Amino acid sequence: MAEINIMETIPDKMVIPLKQHNGDVCEPLVSKGEVVKVGQKIGECPSDRCAAIHSSVCGEVVSVEESSHPSGNRINSVVIQPVEETECEDFTPFKDSGREQLISVIKEAGIVENYGTPTHLVLNPPDCDIDTVLINATASEWVGHNYETPLEYASEMLDSLRLLMKAAGASRGAIVLRNDDEDSIDAFDGLDYEGKTIMVAPLIGKRRVGYYFNDQDTDIIVVSQDKIYGKNIFEYFTYNVTGRKVPFRCTPASVGVAICGVKSAKALNDLVNTGMPYIETVVTVSGQVNNPQRLLVKIGTSFKDVIEACGDYRGEPAKLISNGVITGVAQYDEEVPVTKMTTSIIVQDKDEVLKDISKDCIHCARCVDVCPVDLIPNRIAALSNQGRFDECRQMHIENCIECGRCSSVCPSKIHVMQLIQYSKEAIARADEDFSEKESSNIKLGCSCGSE
Amino acid sequence: MTFTISPPPHIKQDTTFKKITWMKVLALLPVSLVSVYFFGLYALAIIFAGIGMAVITELVIEKVFNKKITIMDGQAVLIGLMLALMLPAEAPIWIPVVGSFFAVAIGKHAFGGIGSYIFNPVLVAWVFLILAYSSYMYPVSFPELGGISDIFLENGAGLLIGVSPIALIGGLYLILKKYIEWKIPAFYVLTTLILAFLVGDNMGHVITGAFVFGVLFLATDSPSSPVTKKGRIIYGVLCGILTVIYGHYANYIFAVFYSIFLANCVTAFIDNSTLPGSFADESFLQRKYKAIMDKIPFERLGVKIDD
């Protein structure tokens, strides 16, 4: 289990974006010149599709202005000049709170999944009932998090799962580990929890979570499966783990499944036990820095300060990437802040920067061989390029999990993933135009899940 | 400080089309050397005539039609070399010249260049040559493996490619490095050997240099073979069946070339009929199985099942 260091230095300037999730931008609660404390709420939700923003440091608000954001846009942000002494808001633990209270507390504390959806929406989706909560621990960035020992990690994770189940009103919960992640499997295997011994069960063939719930006669299980990564894995992940097929244009919530990350589970546990809102996160720094490590940083710290804490750049940096080399976003500015959705920072030097020119597809079928969801990426890319979106639909383009493997292996260096994303977006936008009255066969929201 | 902006992924495999083609040329180098040793310097003249004309044709066509010059990606060289190796050692020097011109001009560029052609350009040229100048294209002898030594040096070889089946071992390295894919060669070889055994053909007639060359280099030409997983298996099997049908009644050397050419015709059809379904779709048998299982009252019997 990789060690987590804590970033001790206090930067000169903190930029806290008022949008660190998918949804609406928060309204600032502070103005220039005000003094804020650690954990003070500085962004209020204007609607339900939103999560509150808190200050992660103690200091004076310098300005509220548009500032660069790791997503590549400019977002209204609160700029704070931190001071040395740390004065905290009074955190009150929320032990033994009921379901309704937990949901509102999660929303107030601004807990957000690493893929962007606010956690209260995942656990309490409108018009849907959740019966199974899954914690996805299959992606390497999230495993381990910041725990002293593997045992602590395992038991705290199970506590978090209990809390998540309570908040969602779900009867069953599962933690999904990665097959080759032996540290985590060792941590969970043989652990005694609530009088039962946890056994890590592999998901093979038809043996999905339903089988193990019955087999082990319990409501909390730990299972393991192959690594799944990508920007849009939920339909595939839900099917792989539970065997339930998510209908087209629906979220896993429509089949009663809530998927949470390790980070939000940990944040919820902290919130309930100490009352601390979501103001710090673990970032993996790797690539061309002198001292690559996992670092616990306060949200709002700029990438530049994080890299300085890791011993500065090694040589001349040429590319700065947030959230992984396969699907991450290249940054044009090193002053962008760490947000709730930031999981890793990667620095590449001049030699690593790709300078490929796309050529014609040679139908080598390498993309077909690597695709985890059995698509024909080269053909979908060609159809997208020509704007033939209907035919893309027939090729099951909606299954694409945007993992980027096809672009990565392409010998002609075609931007396969971008072409597929473009087409997916165009299809989604075409469907938006239908008003509900005109098209009775297309129902939006969770209603599409109920037969 | 300035940073580069680009779309993800930010790391890619360093395999390029250029690399794949030049590796194929490299893998054909040993057999070319053996053929020069075996047939003398005239074989070298045939190879150079083939490569030279292919490169010149490509250059002229791309200049005339204002396209980007793609000599350096090595495909013209590969086409010229492969065509020259498929000719008999006594062919007049203008045969590879005409053949290479036809392969690049008609086989490749008339169909739209790299990735767009439906027939392997080398086979297009070969079929053209054997129809137009058949008297020059028939070799003096058809090889037949008599013993283990013939794998290393085939004394009865008529075509340049037939001189040494073992010299084509580089193709296996290409498969190992995933420069060419394995499904087509594997199923091609299996089908051919099984069918040839069933119809009682002499294995010495089947396994020759031309067969190994066809399996590893001609059938795996990516633009003219299917992309779907099932499609590639069907394509390999189809190549094998056609090879045995033609080879049983004529000879296995031409059978390899004709069968791959004919299989190219149905590549698009194979692709379109084997498109994979969605990942959670159930097959016909699974649906039937589920329908039967639903009728059994497991709850009443007290048996626990997966949901």
Side-chain angles (χ1 to χ4, degrees):
Chain A
M1 196 151 292
E3 207 174 308
I4 312 277
N5 300 318
I6 297 168
M7 185 174 161
E8 301 283 358
T9 49
I10 298 172
D12 300 336
K13 195 175 93 174
M14 297 289 268
V15 181
I16 302 174
L18 288 167
K19 180 175 187 280
Q20 302 185 17
H21 48 262
N22 299 338
D24 302 320
V25 184
C26 288
E27 281 154 11
L29 288 176
V30 291
S31 53
K32 192 181 168 185
E34 262 180 69
V35 174
V36 292
K37 293 185 221 165
V38 176
Q40 185 181 336
K41 192 156 132 186
I42 53 173
E44 173 69 281
C45 304
S47 71
D48 226 25
R49 287 178 41 75
C50 189
I53 307 285
H54 299 78
S55 168
S56 56
V57 287
C58 197
E60 192 192 330
V61 176
V62 180
S63 65
V64 180
E65 59 179 18
E66 297 237 309
S67 179
S68 49
H69 187 270
S71 68
N73 299 323
R74 292 182 77 78
I75 302 277
N76 205 16
S77 310
V78 177
V79 183
I80 300 171
Q81 188 161 22
V83 289
E84 281 296 322
E85 61 265 29
T86 49
E87 195 183 341
C88 290
E89 284 273 299
D90 292 332
F91 296 144
T92 44
F94 296 95
K95 280 182 185 166
D96 306 321
S97 36
R99 189 189 164 202
E100 296 296 316
Q101 201 192 347
L102 265 178
I103 292 289
S104 69
V105 161
I106 289 171
K107 189 183 172 193
E108 280 305 299
I111 297 177
V112 171
E113 298 299 328
N114 58 290
Y115 52 86
T117 315
T119 303
H120 69 94
L121 284 180
V122 174
L123 296 175
N124 188 25
D127 323 323
C128 290
D129 285 325
I130 300 291
D131 60 47
T132 308
V133 176
L134 305 175
I135 294 185
N136 177 7
T138 55
S140 58
E141 290 103 290
W142 313 322
V143 179
H145 204 47
N146 49 345
Y147 298 97
E148 300 269 312
T149 59
L151 193 69
E152 189 191 327
Y153 161 64
S155 52
E156 205 168 301
M157 220 63 232
L158 289 163
D159 288 342
S160 310
L161 181 60
R162 231 343 140 215
L163 282 171
L164 286 169
M165 282 162 65
K166 190 173 167 191
S171 56
R172 288 162 158 191
I175 297 176
V176 186
L177 302 174
R178 210 172 68 221
N179 271 339
D180 56 346
D181 181 20
E182 283 174 14
D183 286 339
S184 301
I185 290 176
D186 285 348
F188 280 103
D189 216 6
L191 186 77
D192 281 320
Y193 186 73
E194 293 176 354
K196 284 202 170 106
T197 311
I198 299 284
M199 303 228 285
V200 178
L203 295 172
I204 302 169
K206 290 272 167 207
R207 291 193 171 182
R208 303 188 204 276
V209 282
Y211 173 85
Y212 289 112
F213 280 127
N214 291 330
D215 189 47
Q216 299 185 359
D217 197 19
T218 173
D219 57 348
I220 284 192
I221 56 166
V222 181
V223 293
S224 69
Q225 63 151 30
D226 292 336
K227 182 177 181 181
I228 298 179
Y229 65 90
K231 273 189 174 164
N232 202 354
I233 62 170
F234 303 111
E235 285 86 352
Y236 183 54
F237 187 80
T238 309
Y239 177 72
N240 249 8
V241 176
T242 64
R244 299 178 198 176
K245 176 93 167 111
V246 181
F248 179 49
R249 273 201 308 275
C250 290
T251 55
S254 60
V255 291
V257 175
I259 300 172
C260 294
V262 172
K263 277 187 171 184
S264 53
K266 157 85 175 156
L268 177 61
N269 201 9
D270 285 352
L271 172 71
V272 169
N273 286 325
T274 66
M276 191 175 75
Y278 198 8
I279 53 168
E280 51 187 21
T281 185
V282 172
V283 174
T284 312
V285 185
S286 57
Q288 299 298 324
V289 291
N290 283 321
N291 192 7
Q293 56 186 300
R294 280 151 178 264
L295 207 57
L296 180 69
V297 299
K298 294 190 163 61
I299 285 163
T301 316
S302 72
F303 279 24
K304 190 183 170 199
D305 292 318
V306 174
I307 286 161
E308 260 168 31
C310 292
D312 225 334
Y313 299 109
R314 192 196 297 148
E316 180 83 5
K319 209 176 193 180
L320 192 61
I321 303 153
S322 70
N323 292 5
V325 282
I326 301 291
T327 55
V329 182
Q331 305 295 329
Y332 58 90
D333 186 5
E334 58 181 352
E335 296 286 344
V336 292
V338 170
T339 68
K340 288 169 189 171
M341 289 160 72
T342 309
T343 54
S344 66
I345 299 173
I346 294 131
V347 183
Q348 287 186 335
D349 67 11
K350 229 174 174 177
D351 302 332
E352 289 171 298
V353 175
L354 303 169
K355 294 186 194 72
D356 301 312
I357 296 162
S358 293
K359 298 206 174 66
D360 296 325
C361 173
I362 56 163
H363 306 272
C364 63
R366 288 161 73 93
C367 49
V368 180
D369 285 339
V370 294
C371 185
V373 287
D374 280 346
L375 298 175
I376 310 290
N378 71 327
R379 184 174 280 216
I380 298 178
L383 293 173
S384 306
N385 212 354
Q386 297 163 0
R388 292 152 75 180
F389 302 129
D390 276 2
E391 284 163 80
C392 292
R393 279 287 306 280
Q394 287 163 14
M395 308 273 297
H396 307 291
I397 189 173
E398 72 276 3
N399 284 350
C400 176
I401 60 170
E402 295 170 39
C403 62
R405 285 181 177 96
C406 43
S407 297
S408 161
V409 298
C410 184
S412 292
K413 310 295 173 195
I414 298 168
H415 299 292
V416 186
M417 185 173 80
Q418 278 74 27
L419 286 166
I420 293 176
Q421 279 173 335
Y422 160 68
S423 188
K424 279 174 95 170
E425 209 163 288
I427 290 168
R429 232 178 300 135
D431 289 336
E432 266 172 26
D433 291 350
F434 292 119
S435 66
E436 271 179 84
K437 230 189 275 171
E438 281 173 37
S439 55
S440 57
N441 56 335
I442 295 177
K443 290 178 191 164
L444 297 171
C446 293
S447 51
C448 54
S450 52
E451 281 94 350
Chain B
M1 216 169 282
T2 52
F3 294 100
T4 315
I5 304 290
S6 71
H10 303 291
I11 45 167
K12 290 183 181 178
Q13 285 184 4
D14 62 348
T15 312
T16 58
F17 176 56
K18 193 174 164 182
K19 200 166 169 183
I20 292 174
T21 3
W22 284 114
M23 287 308 280
K24 281 186 187 173
V25 173
L26 208 65
L28 286 172
L29 216 55
V31 81
S32 315
L33 293 177
V34 177
S35 70
V36 172
Y37 164 76
F38 192 77
F39 290 115
L41 282 179
Y42 188 68
L44 195 66
I46 288 182
I47 290 171
F48 273 119
I51 294 176
M53 191 59 197
V55 172
I56 291 167
T57 313
E58 174 128 322
L59 196 67
V60 169
I61 286 175
E62 282 171 349
K63 275 262 190 255
V64 168
F65 291 100
N66 266 334
K67 286 185 186 170
K68 216 174 150 207
I69 306 294
T70 57
I71 300 295
M72 284 319 288
D73 71 15
Q75 222 212 354
V77 176
L78 184 66
I79 289 174
L81 178 62
M82 278 163 76
L83 183 70
L85 287 174
M86 285 159 68
L87 300 176
E90 3 0 270
I93 204 76
W94 55 268
I95 285 277
V97 172
V98 172
S100 283
F101 170 78
F102 198 85
V104 174
I106 310 294
K108 183 180 168 188
H109 283 289
F111 282 100
I114 296 166
S116 300
Y117 51 77
I118 49 172
F119 296 108
N120 191 338
V122 183
L123 289 171
V124 171
W126 184 83
V127 170
F128 165 72
L129 289 176
I130 204 145
L131 291 175
Y133 313 108
S134 55
S135 58
Y136 297 112
M137 288 296 285
Y138 275 84
V140 285
S141 66
F142 284 104
E144 168 187 345
L145 291 192
I148 198 78
S149 67
D150 280 0
I151 290 184
F152 297 99
L153 199 61
E154 167 64 80
N155 288 313
L159 307 180
L160 295 189
I161 195 68
V163 290
S164 170
I166 199 80
L168 288 160
I169 201 85
L172 293 180
Y173 176 75
L174 295 183
I175 290 178
L176 211 66
K177 294 285 280 181
K178 291 190 177 168
Y179 291 150
I180 55 183
E181 62 85 49
W182 63 272
K183 281 199 184 84
I184 295 171
F187 282 91
Y188 189 175
V189 169
L190 270 179
T191 317
T192 314
L193 293 188
I194 290 169
L195 281 182
F197 179 75
L198 287 180
V199 299
D201 281 338
N202 183 357
M203 284 300 155
H205 290 276
V206 181
I207 306 161
T208 55
F211 178 62
V212 178
F213 175 72
V215 166
L216 289 175
F217 293 90
L218 291 176
T220 58
D221 180 54
S222 55
S224 53
S225 57
V227 292
T228 58
K229 286 174 188 169
K230 277 185 213 154
R232 276 175 273 158
I233 295 172
I234 294 172
Y235 180 81
V237 172
L238 183 67
C239 284
I241 292 172
L242 291 170
T243 303
V244 175
I245 290 175
Y246 191 97
H248 184 65
Y249 297 106
N251 68 74
Y252 271 96
I253 309 289
F254 289 179
V256 170
F257 302 152
Y258 273 129
S259 66
I260 297 168
F261 184 78
L262 289 175
N264 281 350
C265 304
V266 288
T267 292
F269 176 70
I270 293 173
D271 252 350
N272 286 337
S273 14
T274 55
L275 293 175
S278 182
F279 61 81
D281 278 354
E282 287 169 328
S283 68
F284 177 75
L285 284 176
Q286 279 171 323
R287 276 201 302 276
K288 288 285 162 215
Y289 173 77
K290 214 172 181 183
I292 294 167
M293 292 302 272
D294 282 346
K295 291 206 177 99
I296 303 172
F298 281 107
E299 258 100 84
R300 234 183 291 159
L301 295 171
V303 184
K304 278 177 196 164
I305 49 158
D306 187 2
D307 62 351

